[in-house]
Amino acid sequence: MQQINLYLPEFRPNYEPLRSIHMLWGMAAFAVLLLIFSYLSAQGNRALAGQVEKSKAQLEHLKAQVTQMEQQRPTGNLADLDAQSLKLSQELVRREQIYQVIANKNLGNNSGFSAYMEALGRQSLETISLEAFSLERGGNYVEFAGKTLAVDQIPLYIQQLRREPVFAQSAFGVLNAEPHKNKTGVFEFSLAKDSLAREESENAPEVPKTAVQMFLEMNKKVIDQSRRENDAKRD
């Protein structure tokens, strides 16, 4: 009796997990993707380097302007010069912050801050005018500074901001308000870190100042300088 084997090799299942041709194609695709990623990274680094150099040049130009104004300061029209100096100092601080962010490539919030800006616009009040604000820790800590016609509107403004999803978990600075020096019925206010709390320990590590804190310090310097000049004129 003769037996015939019908289980031919071509009908057997292929148990090879990965053929050499498949591995070759996979390695080629990985190499192509790696080249594309390297090219895009190089382009991004070149763009960031260009922005850093541009910001640095603008920063040096502003520093030169501030130094020149201080050296060529005339005796008359001091109020206008103080206003220009304050404006340039604020612009200098803003440029320095932008330069540091670009140089360190640390935005703190990968999703951006447009939602915060839109929320501030939606909840704005006619009785409150913001002159400076700071979003720290990726928007989890907020500071304000500005003027208001009614101090009781500030807690209302904060309460309305907390209704916005982006500000729901945000912490706000310590509220401080006082009457405006030259305008009746107008109050200057700020929500910032308490200066006494920052000076509690001499051994504590130095914490970078926020934009609002630097804005308040510059305003205080301008006011103190104006007082000294007025006292000198009286004498």
Side-chain angles (χ1 to χ4, degrees):
M1 180 175 180
Q2 184 179 4
Q3 294 181 353
I4 300 175
N5 185 9
L6 298 179
Y7 194 61
L8 300 178
E10 56 267 22
F11 296 112
R12 295 178 184 176
N14 186 5
Y15 293 105
E16 295 181 8
L18 191 64
R19 295 185 178 181
S20 58
I21 186 64
H22 296 160
M23 295 177 63
L24 181 62
W25 278 109
M27 293 177 62
F30 177 75
V32 171
L33 291 175
L34 185 61
L35 289 174
I36 294 175
F37 179 77
S38 301
Y39 175 77
L40 294 177
S41 298
Q43 290 291 100
N45 290 336
R46 282 194 291 270
L48 284 174
Q51 292 180 4
V52 168
E53 292 299 326
K54 183 178 179 180
S55 298
K56 188 175 182 180
Q58 292 176 346
L59 181 61
E60 294 298 329
H61 179 67
L62 287 172
K63 286 182 178 179
Q65 285 185 337
V66 173
T67 304
Q68 184 179 5
M69 289 190 64
E70 291 292 338
Q71 294 176 350
Q72 300 179 355
R73 191 173 190 174
T75 56
N77 201 14
L78 295 176
D80 292 341
L81 288 177
D82 287 337
Q84 293 180 9
S85 178
L86 176 61
K87 184 177 180 180
L88 285 174
S89 298
Q90 293 173 350
E91 182 67 15
L92 177 60
V93 171
R94 189 179 71 85
R95 296 279 184 176
E96 286 179 341
Q97 292 175 341
I98 294 174
Y99 171 72
Q100 291 297 330
V101 169
I102 296 176
N104 297 329
K105 302 179 184 179
N106 182 17
L107 298 177
N109 186 341
N110 295 330
S111 60
F113 293 94
S114 59
Y116 294 89
M117 302 295 102
E118 293 174 358
L120 289 172
R122 283 193 299 269
Q123 301 300 337
S124 61
L125 297 176
E126 296 182 356
T127 54
I128 293 179
S129 174
L130 296 182
E131 295 179 335
F133 67 91
S134 177
L135 299 175
E136 303 290 330
R137 306 170 196 166
N140 291 326
Y141 175 72
V142 186
E143 291 187 348
F144 295 144
K147 296 181 177 63
T148 181
L149 299 177
V151 179
D152 58 354
Q153 294 292 298
I154 301 174
L156 175 62
Y157 183 53
I158 297 175
Q159 182 179 2
Q160 290 182 353
L161 285 178
R162 287 191 179 279
R163 295 174 182 173
E164 296 284 345
V166 292
F167 286 108
Q169 304 298 326
S170 298
F172 292 82
V174 180
L175 175 60
N176 181 39
E178 58 183 15
H180 194 277
K181 303 298 186 298
N182 302 322
K183 296 181 180 180
T184 304
V186 177
F187 296 87
E188 294 179 327
F189 75 92
S190 65
L191 282 86
K193 292 180 180 178
D194 190 356
S195 59
L196 295 178
R198 295 197 305 268
E199 299 174 358
E200 282 182 353
S201 175
E202 296 180 355
N203 298 326
E206 183 179 356
V207 179
K209 297 177 182 178
T210 64
V212 173
Q213 293 166 8
M214 289 185 285
F215 172 79
L216 295 175
E217 289 183 1
M218 285 188 294
N219 282 349
K220 186 177 183 300
K221 289 180 181 179
V222 172
I223 293 174
D224 293 341
Q225 184 176 357
S226 299
R227 287 178 178 173
R228 289 194 297 267
E229 293 172 354
N230 291 333
D231 294 340
K233 290 180 181 179
R234 292 173 185 173
D235 296 340

